[in-house]
Amino acid sequence: MSYKITEEGNIATVHLDGEIDMDVTEKAKEVIMPLIEAGKEVHLNLKEVQYMDSSGISVLIESHQKAAELGNKVILKEISKSVLKVIMMAKLEQILIIE
Amino acid sequence: MAFKEFKEFPVESSSLKEIRNFAREVLAKEPIFESSMDDIVLALAEAAQNIVKHAYNGQPTNDTMKVDINFENNQLTIELFDKGSPAIPQNIKPRKIDDIKAGGLGTFFIGQIMDEVIFKISTTDWVNHLTLKKNY
C-alpha cells in the first residue's frame, strides 16, 4: 500500500493505492487518524485500491466512527469496483459516506 | 478439469499477499473461476488472517500454515491447516448483520462467499483444519 495526501482548506484527501489487508492496516490508521483528530474532513480516494479485506474495512469503520465522534466526517471517493463489492458484502454502503 | 495444489506459508501477516497470489495463480487455470475469483481469494485470505490473528493471537512464530486447493467434480475445496491454539468452534462467530463493527467480519465474508464451511481439530500433524467448499 502506498498513499498520497493533499490538503485544501479543511479537507484532507488521502489517495490510497494497492492492496489493503491486515499487514498494512496499522500504517493506514497512522495516516488517516491524525487527520481526523486534527479536525479535518477526510476524503479517502479508493480508486487505486485493488483489494481490501475485513481489516481494511475495519479501518473505514473506525475512521467513520472517530470522525462522527468529533462531529466531522470521512467521505469515500471514487471507490474501485472490487472495494465497493466488499463494502456492499459487509452491508456498509448505507452506513459509510460514499460519494 | 481437476487439480489439487498445496503450499505452506509462514504464519505472519506478510504471508497474506503471497497466499492471495498463490490462489489467483491456481484458480486462473480453470475459466470457471473467472467471475468468482476475487470472492474466493477474499474468503481464503480471511481464513488465513484468522489463523494469524486468532490461532496465534498475532504472536511471532516459526510455524507454517498449509493451504490446499482442490477442484474436482465441479466442487472447489480449500483446506487450511495450522498448528496454533485449538479453536473453539462456538467462538467462531460471524458478526450480526446490523452490527457496525469489524470483529467477525472476516468470518461473515467467508460464510457469504462459500457454500460450506467445516471446522475440525485435525487428526494429522496439524491442530486446526478448516475446509471451505463451493459448488460450480
Side-chain angles (χ1 to χ4, degrees), chain A residues 1 19-23 50-55 57-59 61-62 64-65 82 85-87 89-92 95, chain B residues 13-14 16-17 20-21 24 35 38-39 41-42 45-46 49 52-53 95 97 100-102 105-106 108-109 112-113:
Chain A
M1 183 199 81
E19 300 196 331
I20 301 181
D21 64 9
M22 181 190 177
D23 200 35
Q50 296 95 22
Y51 172 87
M52 183 178 282
D53 67 7
S54 61
S55 293
I57 294 291
S58 76
V59 174
I61 294 172
E62 286 173 32
H64 171 82
Q65 290 177 334
S82 57
K85 193 174 174 187
V86 179
I87 288 173
M89 198 187 298
K91 322 257 183 224
L92 290 171
I95 307 291
Chain B
S13 61
S14 59
L16 298 174
K17 189 167 191 172
R20 294 197 297 272
N21 288 340
R24 286 171 185 139
S35 62
D38 289 348
D39 289 347
V41 168
L42 178 64
E46 293 291 356
Q49 183 184 167
V52 177
K53 207 187 267 187
R95 98 201 207 295
I97 200 79
I100 309 306
K101 64 173 186 179
L105 192 52
F108 176 76
F109 285 161
Q112 291 282 297
I113 295 164

Side-chain angles (χ1 to χ4, degrees), chain B residues 27-62:
Chain B
L27 297 174
K29 293 175 182 173
E30 173 54 68
I32 202 168
F33 300 121
E34 199 176 327
S35 62
S36 60
M37 184 184 298
D38 289 348
D39 289 347
I40 301 295
V41 168
L42 178 64
L44 166 57
E46 293 291 356
Q49 183 184 167
N50 283 343
I51 292 173
V52 177
K53 207 187 267 187
H54 301 300
Y56 286 85
N57 207 21
Q59 297 301 309
T61 175
N62 291 323

Side-chain angles (χ1 to χ4, degrees), chain A residues 64-78:
Chain A
H64 171 82
Q65 290 177 334
K66 184 73 182 171
E69 266 174 42
L70 298 173
N72 218 324
K73 54 188 174 182
V74 170
I75 301 174
L76 309 182
K77 299 259 187 180
E78 296 189 82

